[in-house]
Amino acid sequence: MIKENMRILVVDDEQDYCEVLKMILEGKGYAVDTCNNGEEALKILEKSDFDIVVSDLNMPVMDGYELLKEIKKRGYDCEVLMLTAFGTIERAVETMKAGAYTYVTKGNDPEELLIEIRKIKDMRATKRKNEILKEKVSGDYMLKSRNEKYRQLLVLAERAAASESNILILGESGAGKEVLASFIHNKSSRKKGNFMELNCQALSESILESELFGHEKGAFTGASQKRIGLFEASHGGTLFLDEIGGVSVNLQAKLLKAIENKTIYRMGSSTPITVDFRLITATNRDLKDDMDKELFRSDLFYRISTIVLELPPLRERKEDIPLFIDYFVDKYSREMKKEQVEMAEDVRALLTNYSYPGNIRELKNVIERLFVLSDHGEIKKEYLPSDIIEGKGGHPKESWFETDYTESLKEYRNKAEKAYIEELLVRYPKDMNQVADILSISRRQLFNKLVEFGLK
């Protein structure tokens, strides 16, 4: 997720100048810390993450150039914007060669600095979106599945991608709706176009309208320049609107008109703009119930739901949990440089048997937590959240399968046997001897059972 409120560290030996910059930047919605030399800045950067460091070039103790070199040497993920006086511009240019984003002359209009900061913000947002899209497109972990229902869903999604029909994805929060939308985009004829996405529930009505339709300069207070909205940005590509159920009824009418006519108007403009986009929407709400309560327009529902894809929650994809565990373990091993970390078997068993009301997103967060807390190369049971240790999210064994009260005793026995073996395979995916011992059968008999029940 792109951070809206960017963090900025201002470094200048003139305390009054620091306070003025802090006031100006906080007035624009940025979170700002200040300090008075490079050494202080490095101590702060060791403990906290910042998006931008705005540093004076000439300072005592450690100047801006030395600070820049240390920031680059230590690999901090931030851009450095240098402040310089007229007499040191030549040296400021040298800092750009060393990795500074740019420099701004002190004493000039503060708007010059604000413009450069906005450029950095847009650049970092674009970079992050590209990283997210790249992860979604290439080797997507959520598209690898042992679950037959999910595999069938991917087949339907690929067929739907070949059309231009509007698609509605239904599923719980954290189940991977945005990944499925990205999959559809990359299987479509529009894959070379932009894939623009927006969570409609996270924004107020006015901001959401501006994000979607764009605005002209002066359209409202704070609209200091023209902005292109996501409808225009997705021209020739795909527009994905997540949590469409969170849109107000008033804005729903404008959405419907844009979707039907493929024509929009920027806020503050009466000039029509033709747009060509493929629409994918998603929600975790019951839109039919919302329609009954007049919270969602029925005409909009039928317009966006030409094809409906229902995404199963993680608790219905139990056989995929070990795959996700391995993926996230590998991911955080690399990111946190903890490649020798071992996960205890009881931890893996608890992770595998939990039901995850927050779905894949919750599992991801739990694995990240385990790696943060791990010490001496071992992930222990006590690092797990209490709900997982106590099994509060788990389903009782009676819910392994649904009971059909018309089936024979033999059919019921086979179904129970299959469910039990599946559960053991999830618990001990790399130890067939352990599974056979628990079942009190030979390894050969176990493999015969796997063939009989179509298990892997």
Side-chain angles (χ1 to χ4, degrees):
M1 190 71 174
I2 308 304
K3 290 182 285 185
E4 289 299 321
N5 188 11
M6 293 182 68
R7 295 198 66 194
I8 300 175
L9 177 62
V10 175
V11 189
D12 197 295
D13 59 321
E14 297 180 41
Q15 184 61 34
D16 290 344
Y17 190 76
C18 281
E19 293 303 320
V20 169
L21 275 189
K22 180 180 174 71
M23 182 179 65
I24 292 172
L25 295 173
E26 286 184 339
K28 294 296 181 180
Y30 301 116
V32 184
D33 285 0
T34 66
C35 64
N36 300 120
N37 62 66
E39 285 189 356
E40 289 180 26
L42 290 175
K43 290 177 182 178
I44 293 172
L45 289 167
E46 283 177 7
K47 299 177 181 178
S48 304
D49 293 327
F50 289 84
D51 299 284
I52 303 173
V53 174
V54 178
S55 175
D56 190 11
L57 182 55
N58 292 324
M59 294 182 294
V61 185
M62 177 185 284
D63 66 14
Y65 187 70
E66 291 300 318
L67 172 60
L68 169 67
K69 288 197 296 184
E70 281 298 315
I71 287 174
K72 295 301 177 182
K73 180 181 176 181
R74 301 184 188 191
Y76 292 134
D77 182 24
C78 60
E79 298 295 334
V80 179
L81 202 159
M82 205 63 71
L83 297 172
T84 182
F86 283 104
T88 57
I89 289 178
E90 186 175 336
R91 190 157 178 250
V93 173
E94 288 298 315
T95 66
M96 291 181 64
K97 294 178 182 178
Y101 176 79
T102 190
Y103 68 88
V104 173
T105 304
K106 292 178 74 172
N108 282 5
D109 188 340
E111 185 62 28
E112 183 182 346
L113 176 63
L114 293 173
I115 288 172
E116 296 300 337
I117 288 174
R118 282 197 294 269
K119 286 180 183 178
I120 293 174
K121 180 180 179 181
D122 291 343
M123 178 191 71
R124 289 174 71 84
T126 301
K127 179 182 177 183
R128 180 63 186 134
K129 283 182 179 179
N130 289 339
E131 287 173 353
I132 292 170
L133 184 55
K134 184 178 179 182
E135 186 176 77
K136 287 177 180 175
V137 173
S138 59
D140 225 325
Y141 60 92
M142 276 194 257
L143 300 176
K144 295 177 182 178
S145 178
R146 297 169 178 162
N147 181 269
E148 187 59 31
K149 185 176 180 180
Y150 190 79
R151 285 177 172 178
Q152 291 174 0
L153 177 71
L154 290 181
V155 172
L156 292 175
E158 191 164 357
R159 289 177 185 170
S163 72
E164 285 290 304
S165 300
N166 295 331
I167 297 174
L168 173 63
I169 302 173
L170 302 177
E172 295 179 8
S173 178
K177 298 187 289 293
E178 66 279 5
V179 173
L180 186 60
S182 178
F183 171 78
I184 293 168
H185 169 74
N186 285 285
K187 290 294 182 180
S188 74
S189 60
R190 295 174 175 267
K191 61 185 177 182
K192 293 184 179 179
N194 288 334
F195 177 77
M196 308 303 296
E197 57 182 311
L198 182 68
N199 187 319
C200 300
Q201 200 168 28
L203 303 173
S204 65
E205 181 178 342
S206 59
I207 294 176
L208 180 57
E209 184 174 358
S210 174
E211 286 289 321
L212 289 171
F213 295 90
H215 61 251
E216 296 292 342
K217 182 177 180 180
F220 51 84
T221 303
S224 57
Q225 57 187 1
K226 180 178 76 174
R227 178 174 183 148
I228 292 175
L230 292 182
F231 277 119
E232 286 183 78
S234 60
H235 183 79
T238 302
L239 175 60
F240 173 52
L241 300 181
D242 198 3
E243 302 306 344
I244 188 73
V247 177
S248 69
V249 176
N250 179 52
L251 190 52
Q252 286 175 32
K254 296 178 182 179
L255 269 178
L256 177 63
K257 191 172 181 180
I259 294 167
E260 286 183 334
N261 301 331
K262 294 293 177 78
T263 300
I264 64 158
Y265 296 85
R266 290 194 199 121
M267 294 175 68
S269 171
S270 58
T271 304
I273 300 171
T274 302
V275 286
D276 170 32
F277 59 90
R278 198 299 175 59
L279 181 69
I280 303 176
T281 54
T283 186
N284 61 8
R285 295 171 65 108
D286 184 343
L287 293 185
K288 291 187 176 179
D289 183 56
D290 283 350
M291 285 190 288
D292 291 340
K293 297 175 181 176
E294 298 185 349
L295 297 174
F296 200 86
R297 294 175 61 112
S298 59
D299 47 3
L300 178 59
F301 172 79
Y302 293 115
R303 175 60 66 178
I304 65 176
S305 61
T306 307
I307 298 173
V308 178
L309 300 174
E310 292 195 44
L311 196 60
L314 185 56
R315 62 181 171 274
E316 294 178 12
R317 299 172 59 187
K318 296 284 286 184
E319 59 268 66
D320 286 341
I321 292 177
L323 295 177
F324 291 129
I325 292 173
D326 289 341
Y327 171 81
F328 290 123
V329 164
D330 178 64
K331 172 183 171 69
Y332 291 115
S333 292
R334 287 182 282 105
E335 287 187 5
M336 299 186 189
K337 298 180 181 178
K338 294 184 176 183
E339 297 182 6
Q340 304 301 318
V341 171
E342 292 289 332
M343 180 181 289
E345 280 300 318
D346 59 342
V347 175
R348 181 175 283 271
L350 286 167
L351 287 172
T352 301
N353 292 313
Y354 185 61
S355 67
Y356 298 100
N359 291 292
I360 300 167
R361 184 181 297 126
E362 182 182 6
L363 174 56
K364 172 181 175 292
N365 291 339
V366 169
I367 300 295
E368 182 178 6
R369 166 199 171 106
L370 292 176
F371 268 81
V372 169
L373 298 178
S374 67
D375 193 20
H376 305 300
E378 186 178 4
I379 292 176
K380 299 179 181 178
K381 178 180 175 180
E382 53 261 37
Y383 301 152
L384 288 166
S386 58
D387 282 356
I388 295 180
I389 294 175
E390 297 166 11
K392 289 182 179 178
H395 292 290
K397 289 182 170 46
E398 287 76 14
S399 65
W400 280 353
F401 54 87
E402 294 180 4
T403 301
D404 178 1
Y405 290 97
T406 65
E407 61 193 356
S408 68
L409 182 60
K410 182 179 179 181
E411 289 171 330
Y412 185 87
R413 187 185 296 118
N414 285 341
K415 193 158 65 172
E417 193 173 323
K418 178 182 177 182
Y420 184 47
I421 293 174
E422 276 185 315
E423 186 71 8
L424 289 175
L425 291 174
V426 168
R427 283 174 177 257
Y428 310 103
K430 297 179 181 178
D431 195 346
M432 293 298 101
N433 290 328
Q434 176 79 350
V435 174
D437 288 343
I438 292 171
L439 293 171
S440 296
I441 60 177
S442 69
R443 189 180 173 94
R444 178 185 290 274
Q445 287 174 309
L446 172 59
F447 280 106
N448 288 339
K449 291 289 184 184
L450 298 184
V451 173
E452 179 185 350
F453 295 132
L455 300 174
K456 293 184 179 180

